[in-house]
Every structure is written in structure tokens, then in C-alpha cells.
């Protein structure tokens, strides 16, 4: 019998179904019943079940890197400045910066370029486009669309070089801002909208929304509004929506499918990028990266390396909820640089998301957090993987990446909570905490009810972090250890690495699935100040299906060792101190917690 709590059949059946689903099936499985995000079945009783008799095969391998395609990359690194193509471009054919965006040339709305004769307000509105203060974009788009290119769900419009709805929709936005309403709303009826430059809803209390969207919606579902980003300049303006104006607040973006067709190679940008925006929300979004046919074939290593999915940056905070991001090259959700705030405000919530197939050549990760005051809950992140190109380092491929990336204090992750989320089948670790900065590291991080399974590396890998709590963590079937606390590295020996870490009731089993040689216990500790209260470790017990199949090589429970840290030639030997454990339960065939002899003595 389990020492800490009973595990019910209902919960595990739902969990196994998700684990066993292939990449293409994971979305429908996780979103059945039109529910966004990850919601495992709740426990319903305390009865014991013989789970070994369940008719559910459980023979997964950790997610490992497939051989990269030998197909030649059709897209080369562009020579600056990137050219603008199509009849909608400026006469110079070069996008030179934000002053050349279509919103600045629409002859309507806010004067952004220094002119004094630009019409504003109600003069932007098209007759019949406003109902009860809500502006419908169709009358604007129908005026500018060429013959034979009516708004519909027909994807053929994506490939036409004479369609650009950016200018028309920017007029609809300015019209909405002229309405005498508290909240200004622009409505997109079902259909496809081609954007050569991103929409810029840079006004407070503004909503952009389409028809209600289900997480089960197929690409181009005729009942949904799809924004297709075919950028005139993928290096500068690759995405569908960008907010980049200080002082903007309460912008809501909801109920869209988004197709991203290209991206930047030099400077990072995103499908939805929200900068300097307070209390803003992105919700009910399905975003997919799908290049146009003239860019195919495009194996992962050939994708534009600096395209993220949804980014909150430069002080932005608010909520990202009910989103699916699929196939974006770099980061599915990227939270960066909240420059102000206390323990509780401002705060960003990431809820009910599924991030999958993040697999480009640089820094690919499902969710990346380099800022403070973040809560992630009810999310599923899977199949992130690095495919390096042209000698680029294979760093990344993690499900969740929490890192201090530079010396700016505002980019130090602090007060980050991750609850009831599932990270599986990622090429790197399920959860990674790191820092390349000697005097910065993630602080006050709490993972609660997190599941990490079948990742190619570790379940949870902490290279840098202090005041870290891992509560009710399950980690199984990973390539190496279920949890690795790694203070050793090549930064100066005085660098801040792993500090106080507490694990409460972890369940760590059947890890070390890689065929490589090595010793990978359930929890490997190269650190000090570690407390483990309760928990279970096992390999073959007859209680869980994982134990019944005797998979993996995790024959040891907890192990701590001395370690060397510092740059080559200047390493310093450290010994673990204050390693405390209590009430751990060991299944048959699993050794007791112990410290090996220091190999450097």
C-alpha cells in the first residue's frame, strides 16, 4: 500500500491515456469535451485497485531526437534589409521600421507620423459597420479586397500576393475607438484575414475578437476567424498582432485561429507580441506555424529560428488562457521582463494551455519564463525538441524553462508558481531551471501537482535556483533521473547555483530509460540544503503498472555526491551539506537513500 496516499484507478486511467497518445492525437485527447488545457480526472474514492490488471499498454520510451531530414533548406538567412514583396509595399520595397506600417498610412485615426491633417474618430467609420458600438471588420475588408477574393474559409487566399487586410482592419480599429463606449470592440466574422503587417491594437480598453472558438477546431474551420500572417518583412513584422506602445492597458485578444507562415532569423519576434501592456489578456487562441507551399519542404532545422508564439514583454502583465500553440520554432509562450511589481502585483496567469511541437533550431521550449510574478496552471506541454542547424548549439527542447538570462534584476524569475500541469515527451527536460549569470538565479519557485514523464533528459533539472518547492511531484519514465539538483558547472565557483530545495511527497519511479551506461537514481543531488519529506521511489512493486513492467534502470532512490564547480583549470571541490530526508517509502528492489564515496577524495 502507498505510504503517503492512495492512487485511484480513475486518475491513472486518464493519465495513461494522455501519456500514450501520439503527438498528433494529443490535442484532441487533452481537449475532449471542448475543455481547454490539461484537466486530469479527479480522485473519486480511496479504494485500492489492482492496477497491474488494467487493459492499458504502458510501454512508452522517452522522447528522443529523430534523425534530421536531409532535405535542403529552401530558406536561407536573409541579407539585411529584408525586402517587402507585393503591391501593398512602400515604393522603396523596403520595410524600414515602425513608421512604415500600414496603420501609419491608412489616412485615418491617430496621427503617428507627424502629420496634422489626418482624419480621426468617426471619420474612419464605414457606413453600416457599427452595431451597438461594436465594429464589424467585413465592410472595411470587402472594400479593399480585389475581385474574386471574398472573405471566406478558402485557404487559397493565403497565397495571393494582391490581398492584404492589414490596412482595412486598422481603419476598423480606429473607428471602434471613436465609439462612446467604455470598451471598444472590433468583431471579425468567420473567415480568413491576410495580414502583411501585424495588427496593432495600441489603445486601452480595446477588444479584438472572433466567433466563439472551441479547442477542437480544425485548421481553417469555416466557423472560426483565422488570421493569416504573410509578412511583408518577416525579420521585423512576422506575426499577426503586436502591441508596442507604452501606457496601453486592458487590451483583449480572443477567439482567433492564427496561421504563421514565416518568421525572423536575427531579432526575435512573435505571432502575438504584447509589450508595455498592463492587465492585458490573450485567450481562446489556436496558433499554428504552417509555411506557404513555396517554403516547403521545411524540416524543423530549416524553420526561421527566432519566431516565438505568444510573448508578454517590456513590463506587460495580465493573462494568457485557453491557448494552443503548435509547431512554432522557438518558444510557445515566452514571458519576459516585468520591470515592476511586488510579491503579488503585477501578476501574469497562464492557464489552460497546450503547447506542442516546439521544434526549431534555436532555444526551442514550450513555456519560457524569465520574469517574476507568474502562475501557470492546468497546462500540458509536450514534444519540444531542438533541431540544430549550421553548428548552432543544441540547447533547449525543454517543456518548461525558468531562467535568469541577463544581469537585469527585472529579468530574474521570482515568485513563480506552476500548478497541476503535465510536461511530457520533450527532447530536453520536462522542467529546467537555469542561469548563465553568476550572481542571478531563479528564486521562490513552487511546483505543485506537476507531472513530468518520458522526457529525453531529466524530469526536473535544477541547474540554478533557491527557495524552490516541489510539492506532490510525479516524475517517471524520463531518460535520466527523475530529479537532478546540479550545482556543478563551469561558471566561477562562487556563482549562485542551487540553494534551498524542498520536496514534499514526490513519487519517482522507472526513470533512467536511456540505453546509455551510467548511474541515475530517482533523485541525484550535487547540492546542499535539500529536504525531502515523504514520497515514494520504486522500480518493481506490483502496485503501479509502471512497476509491473520493471522498466528503466532506477534501482536507487536518492543519492548525493560531492562535485566540482568552476571553469576548467579552476575547479573547486564541494561537499553536500544539510541533506535531510524522512518518511520515504521504498518499493522492492530500490536501495535506501545514501551518499556515495566522493570520487575526488
Amino acid at each position: 500500500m502507498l505510504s503517503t496516499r492512495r492512487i485511484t484507478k480513475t486518475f491513472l486511467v486518464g493519465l495513461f491515456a494522455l501519456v500514450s497518445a501520439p503527438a498528433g492525437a494529443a490535442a484532441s485527447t487533452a481537449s475532449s469535451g471542448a475543455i481547454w488545457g490539461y484537466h486530469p480526472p479527479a480522485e473519486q474514492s480511496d479504494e485500492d485497485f489492482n492496477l497491474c490488471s488494467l487493459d492499458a499498454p504502458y510501454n512508452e520510451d522517452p522522447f528522443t531526437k529523430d534523425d534530421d531530414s536531409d532535405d535542403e533548406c529552401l530558406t536561407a538567412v536573409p541579407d539585411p534589409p529584408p525586402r517587402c514583396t507585393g503591391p501593398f509595399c512602400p515604393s522603396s520595397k523596403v520595410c524600414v521600421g515602425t513608421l512604415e506600417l500600414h496603420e501609419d498610412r491608412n489616412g485615418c485615426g491617430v496621427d503617428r507620423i507627424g502629420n496634422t491633417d489626418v482624419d480621426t474618430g468617426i471619420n474612419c467609420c464605414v457606413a453600416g459597420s457599427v452595431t451597438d458600438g461594436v465594429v464589424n471588420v467585413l465592410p472595411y475588408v470587402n472594400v479593399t479586397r480585389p475581385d474574386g477574393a471574398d472573405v471566406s474559409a478558402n485557404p487559397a487566399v493565403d497565397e495571393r500576393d494582391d490581398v492584404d487586410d492589414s490596412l482595412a482592419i486598422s481603419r476598423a480599429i480606429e473607428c471602434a475607438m471613436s465609439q462612446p463606449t467604455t470598451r471598444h470592440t472590433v468583431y471579425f466574422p468567420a473567415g480568413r484575414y491576410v495580414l502583411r503587417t501585424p495588427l496593432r491594437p495600441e489603445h486601452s480598453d480595446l477588444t479584438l475578437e472572433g466567433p466563439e472558438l472551441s479547442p477542437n477546431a480544425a485548421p481553417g474551420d469555416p466557423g472560426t476567424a483565422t488570421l493569416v500572417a504573410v509578412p511583408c518583412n518577416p525579420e521585423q513584422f512576422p506575426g499577426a498582432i503586436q502591441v508596442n506602445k507604452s501606457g496601453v492597458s486592458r487590451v483583449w485578444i480572443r477567439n482567433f485561429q492564427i496561421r504563421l507562415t514565416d518568421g525572423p532569423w536575427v531579432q526575435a519576434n512573435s505571432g502575438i507580441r504584447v509589450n508595455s501592456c498592463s492587465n492585458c489578456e490573450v485567450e481562446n487562441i489556436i496558433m499554428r506555424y504552417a509555411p506557404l507551399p513555396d517554403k516547403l519542404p521545411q524540416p524543423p532545422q530549416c524553420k526561421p529560428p527566432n519566431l516565438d508564439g505568444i510573448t508578454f514583454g517590456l513590463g506587460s502583465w495580465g493573462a494568457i488562457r485557453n491557448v494552443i500553440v503548435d509547431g512554432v520554432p522557438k518558444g510557445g509562450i515566452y514571458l519576459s521582463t516585468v520591470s515592476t511589481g511586488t510579491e503579488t502585483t503585477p501578476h501574469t496567469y497562464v492557464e489552460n494551455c497546450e503547447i506542442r511541437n516546439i521544434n526549431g533550431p534555436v532555444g526551442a521550449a514550450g513555456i519560457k519564463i524569465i520574469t517574476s510574478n507568474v502562475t501557470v496552471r492546468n497546462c500540458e506541454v509536450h514534444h519540444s525538441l531542438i533541431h540544430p542547424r549550421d553548428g548552432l548549439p543544441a540547447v533547449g527542447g525543454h517543456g518548461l524553462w525558468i531562467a535568469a538570462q541577463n544581469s537585469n534584476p527585472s529579468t530574474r524569475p521570482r515568485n513563480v508558481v506552476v500548478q497541476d500541469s503535465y510536461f511530457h515527451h520533450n527532447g530536453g527536460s520536462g522542467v529546467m531551471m537555469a542561469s548563465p549569470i553568476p550572481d542571478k538565479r531563479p528564486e521562490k519557485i513552487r511546483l505543485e501537482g506537476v507531472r513530468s514523464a518520458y522526457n529525453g533528459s531529466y524530469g526536473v533539472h535544477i541547474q540554478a535556483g533557491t527557495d524552490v518547492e516541489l510539492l506532490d511531484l510525479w516524475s517517471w519514465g524520463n531518460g535520466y533521473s527523475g530529479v537532478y539538483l546540479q550545482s556543478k558547472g563551469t561558471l566561477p565557483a562562487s556563482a549562485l547555483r542551487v540553494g534551498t530545495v524542498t520536496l514534499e511527497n514526490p513519487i519517482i519511479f522507472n526513470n533512467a530509460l536511456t540505453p546509455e551506461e551510467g548511474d541515475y537514481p530517482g533523485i541525484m543531488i550535487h547540492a546542499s540544503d535539500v529536504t525531502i519529506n515523504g514520497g515514494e521511489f520504486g522500480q518493481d512493486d506490483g502496485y503501479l503498472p509502471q512497476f509491473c513492467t520493471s522498466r528503466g534502470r532506477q534501482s536507487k532512490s536518492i543519492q548525493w555526491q560531492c562535485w566540482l564547480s568552476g571553469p576548467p583549470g579552476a575547479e573547486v571541490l564541494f561537499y553536500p551539506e544539510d541533506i535531510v530526508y524522512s518518511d520515504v517509502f521504498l518499493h522492492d528492489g530500490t536501495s535506501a537513500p545514501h551518499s556515495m564515496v566522493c570520487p575526488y577524495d
Side-chain angles (χ1 to χ4, degrees):
M1 182 178 295
L2 298 179
S3 61
T4 55
R5 62 191 178 284
R6 301 174 187 266
I7 304 174
T8 68
K9 179 177 181 178
T10 303
F11 176 84
L12 286 171
V13 169
L15 188 61
F16 298 159
L18 283 174
V19 171
S20 301
S28 60
T29 302
S31 304
S32 60
I35 297 176
W36 296 85
Y38 172 59
H39 299 274
E43 297 186 12
Q44 295 181 351
S45 75
D46 288 331
E47 296 182 35
D48 288 334
F49 292 95
N50 180 11
L51 297 179
C52 293
S53 65
L54 289 179
D55 184 19
Y58 203 73
N59 56 1
E60 296 271 6
D61 291 319
F63 185 50
T64 55
K65 185 178 185 298
D66 296 329
D67 291 335
D68 285 330
S69 170
D70 293 330
D71 293 334
E72 181 179 356
C73 295
L74 300 181
T75 303
V77 178
D79 294 328
R83 303 292 293 178
C84 180
T85 59
F88 42 78
C89 290
S91 58
S92 66
K93 299 297 183 183
V94 177
C95 294
V96 297
T98 56
L99 296 185
E100 290 294 324
L101 285 173
H102 295 325
E103 290 88 332
D104 299 319
R105 300 187 295 110
N106 67 7
C108 173
V110 176
D111 179 3
R112 291 188 175 96
I113 57 177
N115 296 333
T116 59
D117 57 353
V118 177
D119 291 333
T120 60
I122 198 67
N123 295 325
C124 306
C125 297
V126 172
S129 66
V130 182
T131 303
D132 296 331
V134 175
V135 177
N136 188 322
V137 302
L138 275 187
Y140 301 83
V141 172
N142 287 334
V143 168
T144 59
R145 284 267 179 124
D147 292 340
D150 295 335
V151 174
S152 69
N154 187 352
V157 71
D158 302 0
E159 300 174 41
R160 294 187 57 150
D161 63 2
D162 58 350
V163 175
D164 178 21
D165 299 318
S166 309
L167 180 61
I169 297 171
S170 72
R171 292 180 62 92
I173 291 174
E174 304 300 347
C175 173
M177 294 310 301
S178 73
Q179 302 305 306
T181 55
T182 302
R183 173 152 291 276
H184 311 281
T185 301
V186 179
Y187 180 71
F188 293 68
R192 297 179 83 85
Y193 302 86
V194 177
L195 308 177
R196 301 288 177 170
T197 57
L199 304 179
R200 297 197 297 175
E202 296 179 337
H203 305 277
S204 296
D205 300 305
L206 173 62
T207 297
L208 305 185
E209 66 179 353
E212 184 176 355
L213 182 66
S214 164
N216 298 323
D221 185 317
T224 66
T226 299
L227 307 180
V228 184
V230 186
C232 76
N233 184 335
E235 192 59 50
Q236 290 178 308
F237 313 118
I241 299 174
Q242 293 191 8
V243 179
N244 192 30
K245 183 180 180 181
S246 60
V248 173
S249 60
R250 298 176 300 280
V251 173
W252 297 351
I253 302 164
R254 52 177 57 156
N255 292 324
F256 292 109
Q257 295 209 64
I258 295 177
R259 179 185 182 183
L260 304 178
T261 66
D262 207 346
W265 287 76
V266 179
Q267 184 172 347
N269 213 317
S270 310
I272 296 178
R273 186 175 185 89
V274 179
N275 288 338
S276 305
C277 191
S278 59
N279 200 15
C280 292
E281 298 183 5
V282 175
E283 64 180 353
N284 297 4
I285 299 291
I286 301 176
M287 178 183 292
R288 300 179 177 93
Y289 176 77
L292 296 177
D294 64 349
K295 296 291 182 69
L296 297 174
Q298 194 177 58
Q301 70 271 20
C302 300
K303 290 182 177 181
N306 274 320
L307 179 63
D308 294 303
I310 301 173
T311 296
F312 272 25
L314 300 184
S316 294
W317 60 277
I320 300 172
R321 65 171 65 93
N322 300 354
V323 304
I324 297 172
V325 181
D326 188 357
V328 170
K330 193 174 185 182
I333 292 178
Y334 182 31
L335 306 179
S336 66
T337 322
V338 172
S339 56
T340 60
T342 64
E343 288 291 304
T344 57
T345 57
H347 205 95
T348 297
Y349 295 89
V350 177
E351 302 174 318
N352 310 328
C353 63
E354 182 184 0
I355 312 299
R356 62 191 188 223
N357 304 318
I358 309 302
N359 60 0
V362 178
I367 299 177
K368 303 175 72 173
I369 300 174
I370 67 168
T371 188
S372 298
N373 303 327
V374 174
T375 296
V376 177
R377 58 169 70 108
N378 299 330
C379 290
E380 181 183 3
V381 182
H382 57 102
H383 291 88
S384 298
L385 180 62
I386 290 286
H387 290 261
R389 173 184 177 179
D390 300 333
L392 295 171
V395 178
H398 309 301
L400 172 65
W401 195 344
I402 302 175
Q405 291 196 174
N406 57 53
S407 58
N408 186 337
S410 68
T411 61
R412 177 188 62 184
R414 193 172 192 276
N415 192 34
V416 175
V417 177
V418 183
Q419 298 174 316
D420 303 323
S421 294
Y422 184 29
F423 304 92
H424 65 97
H425 290 91
N426 298 288
S429 295
V431 177
M432 167 67 82
M433 300 182 202
S435 172
I437 311 301
D439 61 343
K440 296 289 186 298
R441 58 184 170 178
E443 298 182 4
K444 198 173 183 182
I445 312 297
R446 186 170 86 248
L447 274 58
E448 183 175 358
V450 165
R451 310 301 189 235
S452 186
Y454 293 119
N455 299 290
S457 186
Y458 299 95
V460 175
H461 189 182
I462 303 178
Q463 293 182 342
T466 190
D467 196 5
V468 177
E469 295 179 290
L470 308 178
L471 311 179
D472 187 24
L473 168 72
W474 286 31
S475 184
W476 76 94
N478 297 289
Y480 301 110
S481 295
V483 176
Y484 183 22
L485 309 180
Q486 180 189 356
S487 286
K488 64 181 181 179
T490 59
L491 291 177
S494 60
L496 299 176
R497 298 290 84 196
V498 181
T500 303
V501 177
T502 301
L503 293 92
E504 298 276 356
N505 295 321
I507 296 182
I508 313 292
F509 53 91
N510 270 29
N511 291 287
L513 287 191
T514 65
E516 302 174 8
E517 298 294 331
D519 188 10
Y520 300 102
I523 298 178
M524 171 62 84
I525 301 173
H526 288 119
S528 295
D529 300 314
V530 178
T531 300
I532 303 172
N533 294 322
E536 302 189 38
F537 299 80
Q539 176 68 19
D540 184 11
D541 177 75
Y543 191 86
L544 295 172
Q546 296 85 351
F547 300 144
C548 299
T549 56
S550 301
R551 302 186 66 244
R553 294 184 290 110
Q554 181 194 313
S555 61
K556 297 177 181 178
S557 57
I558 307 168
Q559 188 176 107
W560 56 96
Q561 300 179 4
C562 64
W563 69 93
L564 291 174
S565 189
E571 295 95 340
V572 175
L573 178 62
F574 291 87
Y575 292 87
E577 298 179 351
D578 297 323
I579 309 297
V580 179
Y581 66 92
S582 62
D583 298 326
V584 299
F585 183 87
L586 307 176
H587 292 266
D588 292 345
T590 303
S591 66
H594 67 288
S595 172
M596 293 185 65
V597 175
C598 179
Y600 306 107
D601 286 343

